[in-house]
């Protein structure tokens, strides 16, 4: 079976950027920045993204590009049979993440509906908190939206690499960018909005400490969709004439730009109406609706905001499902359609347990965490850092000769190749291990 390929480099870049730009870029980056000194955190984050982030992005894309296989086959081809276990863990990570991520993706659809009918147009955060808590604890309503979100994700995968993932990613990424610009335009025209912008950009170096740097390392790693096989899978669809470092640099730049623009979108509006931009996850479903309720044309911009979240969630969920589906296509020669349907059903079923654990099953806890939190913790805090360390070791040590030749141009090696080599061999594994210890 001939391996699918991206139709163009732009399609590859936008699909990979869509994978990296998820819900975290929209809500997590602004509130983490607010908690950690604004511009000071921003500077450290940028430094880490263009060292740690781009090194691992290049490594993952190269693994896929060189082998033309999904994670299990790619690790086996480059490292041997033992290394295929790392690939299996990556596929499992994609499966686990999408199971609960689809539940949250469903919330974005629900809040589009609630914005349209005006159910969340109130300036009282306590009321909004009650609405959100009641909604996610409901044993039935979130599941309908979870099913809808999983169905849309599966629909994109069923259409294939070029006609599905690539085409949808192109349109969705353009739409994402335009929506953010529209919302920024509204936010900065509010009276006093410039103070919010200054709060976001002004560096508070008094907050720079080891904990803050570790926080920035974690965000730089996780916000790029690294450590779970997405970039390996997407890299495997790249044509042989695709120069991976250029594509990786474009993806990193686009993702960082969206994170930065999200801060400009959130900070001014939240600041003007006196809310706390470091409110954490509640910033999305509690604080922002309160902001929109006090804004002229707030209902319209509320709908746009939650549609923006839906788009960001969908581009990431598509990459997660493709990791799982491509594994079965490569390893067992399965057909795309039945594989996608079966995997969607299985992930939906696991997601039911995750959703119910926020409500009627909330009393059932393991190590003090409900089922939703366990899925999140194991995949994001343990498996992803493990995957990041392994791909750095694989490329930096085990397969360096092979991948470095792929990076050579007409027999000449680029000047930065020794830096990439030692970053992957030593610096990146140590940095990610520090993040892993912090998570533990």
């Amino acid at each position: 079976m001939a391996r699918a390929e991206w139709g163009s480099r732009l399609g590859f870049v936008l699909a990979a950027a869509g994978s990296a730009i998820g819900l975290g870029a929209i809500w997590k980056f602004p509130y983490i920045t607010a908690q950690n000194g604004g511009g000071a955190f921003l500077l450290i984050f940028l430094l880490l993204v263009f060292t740690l982030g781009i090194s691992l992005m290049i490594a993952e894309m190269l693994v896929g590009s060189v082998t033309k296989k999904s994670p299990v086959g790619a690790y086996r081809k480059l490292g041997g049979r033992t290394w295929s276990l790392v690939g299996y863990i990556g596929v499992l990570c994609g499966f686990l993440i999408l199971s609960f991520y689809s539940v949250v993706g469903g919330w974005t659809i629900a809040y589009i509906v609630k914005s349209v009918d005006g159910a969340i147009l109130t300036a009282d955060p306590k009321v909004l908190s009650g609405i959100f808590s009641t909604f996610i604890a409901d044993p039935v309503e979130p599941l309908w939206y979870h099913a809808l979100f999983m169905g849309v994700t599966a629909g994109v995968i069923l259409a294939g690499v070029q006609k599905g993932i690539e085409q949808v990613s192109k349109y969705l990424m353009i739409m994402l960018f335009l929506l953010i610009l529209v919302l920024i335009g509204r936010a900065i025209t509010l009276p006093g909005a410039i103070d919010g912008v200054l709060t976001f950009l002004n560096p508070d170096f008094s907050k720079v400490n080891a904990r803050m740097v570790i926080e920035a390392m974690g965000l730089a790693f996780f916000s790029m969709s690294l450590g779970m096989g997405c970039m390996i899978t997407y890299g495997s669809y790249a044509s042989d004439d695709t120069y991976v470092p250029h594509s990786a640099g474009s993806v990193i730049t686009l993702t960082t730009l969206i994170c930065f623009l999200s801060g400009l979108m959130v900070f001014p509006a939240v600041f003007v109406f006196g809310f706390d931009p470091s409110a954490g996850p509640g910033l999305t479903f509690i604080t922002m609706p309160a902001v929109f309720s006090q804004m002229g044309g707030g209902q319209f911009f509320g709908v746009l905001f939650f549609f923006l979240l839906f788009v960001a969630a969908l581009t990431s969920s598509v990459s997660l499902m493709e990791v799982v589906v491509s594994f079965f296509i490569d390893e067992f020669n399965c057909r795309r359609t039945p594989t996608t349907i079966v995997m969607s059903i299985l992930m939906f079923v696991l997601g039911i347990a995750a959703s119910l654990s926020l409500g009627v099953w909330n009393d059932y806890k393991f190590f003090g965490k409900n089922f939703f939190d366990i899925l999140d913790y194991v995949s994001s805090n343990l498996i992803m850092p493990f995957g990041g360390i392994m791909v750095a070791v694989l490329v930096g040590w085990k397969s360096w000769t092979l991948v470095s030749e792929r990076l050579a141009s007409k027999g000449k090696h680029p000047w930065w190749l020794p830096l990439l080599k030692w970053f992957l061999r030593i610096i990146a594994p140590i940095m990610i291990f520090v993040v892993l210890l912090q998570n533990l």
Side-chain angles (χ1 to χ4, degrees):
M1 186 186 296
R3 188 158 191 82
E5 283 192 357
W6 303 112
S8 65
R9 178 180 175 270
L10 177 64
F12 171 37
V13 168
L14 290 179
S19 171
I21 299 166
L23 291 172
I26 309 298
W27 65 266
K28 190 171 186 177
F29 180 80
Y31 93 76
I32 294 290
T33 303
Q35 288 177 332
N36 291 280
F41 180 84
L42 189 59
L43 289 172
I44 292 172
F45 174 78
L46 289 173
L47 175 65
L48 291 167
V49 160
F50 286 97
T51 52
L52 173 68
I54 199 167
S55 298
L56 291 170
M57 182 76 72
I58 291 172
E60 287 209 14
M61 286 183 173
L62 275 174
V63 169
S65 178
V66 168
T67 62
K68 300 298 180 189
K69 294 183 180 295
S70 56
V72 173
Y75 277 108
R76 183 191 299 121
K77 187 172 181 177
L78 290 181
R81 292 189 63 180
T82 304
W83 276 85
S84 65
L85 178 61
V86 181
Y88 282 110
I89 293 173
V91 173
L92 174 64
C93 185
F95 185 93
L96 295 178
I97 290 178
L98 186 51
S99 297
F100 71 85
Y101 194 80
S102 176
V103 174
V104 181
W107 297 349
T108 67
I109 302 176
Y111 266 66
I112 293 173
V113 175
K114 293 178 187 296
S115 298
V116 170
D117 66 19
I120 55 172
L121 284 181
T122 172
D124 189 343
K126 290 184 179 179
V127 173
L128 287 166
S129 179
I131 292 172
F132 180 64
S133 299
T134 301
F135 166 67
I136 66 172
D138 190 288
V140 177
E141 187 182 5
L143 298 183
W144 290 114
Y145 292 111
H146 167 40
L148 179 57
F149 185 85
M150 187 68 78
V152 174
T153 302
V156 176
I157 298 298
L158 286 171
V161 173
Q162 281 193 25
K163 294 182 179 179
I165 301 170
E166 183 171 355
Q167 286 301 314
V168 170
S169 295
K170 282 182 180 179
Y171 290 117
L172 289 182
M173 288 304 296
I174 293 171
M175 189 182 300
L176 181 79
F177 189 71
L178 292 176
L179 286 171
I180 287 182
L181 290 182
V182 170
L183 287 163
I184 288 174
R186 181 65 187 99
I188 62 175
T189 57
L190 295 168
I194 189 63
D195 292 328
V197 174
L198 293 176
T199 301
F200 176 47
L201 297 179
N202 279 346
D204 181 0
F205 291 106
S206 68
K207 292 192 175 182
V208 176
N209 53 38
R211 186 199 59 78
M212 187 261 251
V213 174
I214 292 172
E215 188 93 60
M217 281 197 301
L219 191 60
F221 175 73
F222 295 120
S223 63
M224 299 300 153
S225 230
L226 300 168
M228 52 185 168
C230 291
M231 294 304 162
I232 294 175
T233 302
Y234 277 15
S236 73
Y237 299 138
S239 61
D240 289 333
D241 60 356
T242 299
Y243 191 57
V244 166
H246 288 168
S247 298
S250 298
V251 172
I252 290 285
T253 302
L254 271 175
T255 306
T256 307
L257 177 62
I258 294 296
C259 286
F260 177 76
L261 291 177
S262 297
L264 290 180
M265 175 181 68
V266 170
F267 262 82
V270 170
F271 188 88
V272 165
F273 294 109
F275 293 106
D276 183 7
S278 61
L283 186 66
T284 304
F285 296 101
I286 298 170
T287 306
M288 290 307 290
V291 168
F292 292 127
S293 72
Q294 299 180 64
M295 184 187 296
Q299 185 172 9
F300 171 73
F301 290 106
V303 173
L304 283 188
F305 176 75
F306 286 108
F307 186 72
L308 166 71
L309 289 180
F310 166 72
V311 170
L314 181 61
T315 53
S316 292
S317 68
V318 164
S319 68
L320 290 166
M321 187 175 286
E322 182 62 18
V323 169
V324 179
V325 170
S326 67
F327 159 70
F328 283 96
I329 292 174
D330 286 356
E331 294 296 313
F332 303 106
N333 204 28
C334 296
R335 289 183 294 122
R336 178 171 288 269
T337 298
T339 302
T340 301
I341 293 171
V342 171
M343 288 300 104
S344 300
I345 292 172
L346 291 176
M347 285 186 275
F348 171 73
V349 170
L350 190 61
I352 291 175
S355 182
L356 293 178
S357 73
L358 299 173
V360 293
W361 290 358
N362 192 43
D363 291 334
Y364 298 100
K365 296 188 176 181
F366 308 91
F367 304 104
K369 298 180 182 294
N370 60 35
F371 189 65
F372 185 102
D373 292 336
I374 286 177
L375 288 178
D376 185 12
Y377 181 81
V378 170
S379 56
S380 302
N381 292 7
L382 302 180
I383 298 180
M384 285 178 65
F386 171 77
I389 291 172
M390 289 297 101
V391 77
V393 171
L394 177 69
V395 174
W397 292 95
K398 186 79 175 174
S399 309
W400 179 251
T401 301
L402 176 63
V403 298
S404 62
E405 288 303 318
R406 176 62 68 92
L407 295 174
S409 176
K410 297 179 181 179
K412 294 182 179 180
H413 291 76
W415 64 267
W416 46 261
L417 205 55
L419 294 176
L420 178 66
K421 174 183 178 180
W422 289 107
F423 208 92
L424 291 174
R425 285 189 170 188
I426 307 296
I427 301 172
I430 291 174
M431 291 172 73
I432 302 170
F433 185 67
V434 170
V435 174
L436 179 61
L437 288 180
Q438 177 75 9
N439 291 339
L440 289 171

